[in-house]
Amino acid sequence: MNASLLLSTALAAPEGGGSGFDIGKMMAIIIAAIFVNNFVLSRFLGICPFLGVSKQLDSAIGMGAAVIFVMTLATLGSWAVYHLLLVPMDLAYLKTIAFILIIASLVQFVEMILQKFSPALYRALGIFLPLITTNCAILGVAVLNINEKYSLGYSLVNAIAAGIGFTLALILMAGLRQRLEMADVPPAMKGKPVAFLIAGVMSIAFFGFAGLGG
């Protein structure tokens, strides 16, 4: 595939769409990814880091930034691999394996960067940093972009918005859990039980955004 064909494919509108890049469509994707179809609170993907790293606000922000970074680059890499390699070679059925390999490579890259430039954040994230590899929210975004037949531009917008939605859920959860540390919580509810209860209430609250953006 030559460069001009690749560029036209990347900028093309989704099937059934109008112009190559519609602001209304972009805003609908952003609102849906952050609020309506939040990957944690509506699609229930990425629950492991959501519960594991939401104890401290600093760790939640760091994990959120790492997820946004990996999610964006994973979308770019998976879109290119799918359209330039898998589809031309009739290997589209291997997309899940290929996407996991791309995500794993990016997580290793992020891990090395954090270990070099931010050791404190690297230690705070702990085991949950390499677990980004198995964060189904990242894989879910990559697969969703392909299934929805988004162009590269729309795919990147969806990935960034989904990462922001993931980070928003983490920050809200971390803030609530920090406040609960000063509350009189029954011993049987401390730790994970109250965390699951808060997550359920947050999920119900986010369902109130259903229908927003059309």
Side-chain angles (χ1 to χ4, degrees):
M1 182 179 292
N2 56 41
S4 60
L5 184 56
L6 172 60
L7 182 60
S8 63
T9 303
L11 298 179
E15 289 188 3
S19 60
F21 201 78
D22 181 64
I23 298 299
K25 176 72 173 179
M26 182 183 71
M27 292 305 300
I29 290 175
I30 292 173
I31 293 173
I34 297 177
F35 300 109
V36 182
N37 296 319
N38 186 285
F39 273 78
V40 177
L41 300 174
S42 295
R43 297 182 184 271
F44 308 113
L45 300 175
I47 298 297
C48 178
F50 172 68
L51 293 175
V53 190
S54 59
K55 296 178 181 179
Q56 299 294 329
L57 189 58
D58 292 341
S59 299
I61 294 174
M63 172 60 81
V67 167
I68 292 174
F69 179 77
V70 173
M71 199 172 277
T72 304
L73 291 186
T75 294
L76 180 62
S78 61
W79 191 95
V81 167
Y82 181 81
H83 288 282
L84 297 179
L85 183 63
L86 299 182
V87 172
M89 298 179 64
D90 292 327
L91 297 174
Y93 59 90
L94 294 177
K95 66 180 180 182
T96 302
I97 297 176
F99 293 174
I100 291 175
L101 291 176
I102 293 171
I103 294 170
S105 302
L106 289 172
V107 170
Q108 291 299 313
F109 177 66
V110 172
E111 191 172 358
M112 289 188 293
I113 290 178
L114 288 181
Q115 191 173 13
K116 177 69 174 179
F117 297 103
S118 183
L121 179 58
Y122 175 79
R123 289 192 295 270
L125 294 178
I127 188 62
F128 294 100
L129 181 57
L131 280 180
I132 295 179
T133 302
T134 57
N135 187 342
C136 48
I138 298 178
L139 178 61
V141 170
V143 174
L144 179 66
N145 289 331
I146 299 300
N147 291 343
E148 294 292 332
K149 298 181 174 61
Y150 285 153
S151 66
L152 179 58
Y154 286 133
S155 295
L156 291 175
V157 168
N158 186 46
I160 294 172
I164 293 174
F166 183 88
T167 304
L168 175 64
L170 269 180
I171 291 174
L172 290 174
M173 186 67 165
L176 290 172
R177 291 181 75 172
Q178 284 188 337
R179 292 192 61 124
L180 278 175
E181 289 181 0
M182 299 178 290
D184 186 16
V185 180
M189 292 296 295
K190 287 183 178 180
K192 286 294 186 290
V194 72
F196 277 109
L197 182 61
I198 295 173
V201 173
M202 288 176 61
S203 179
I204 294 173
F206 266 68
F207 273 117
F209 292 114
L212 184 64

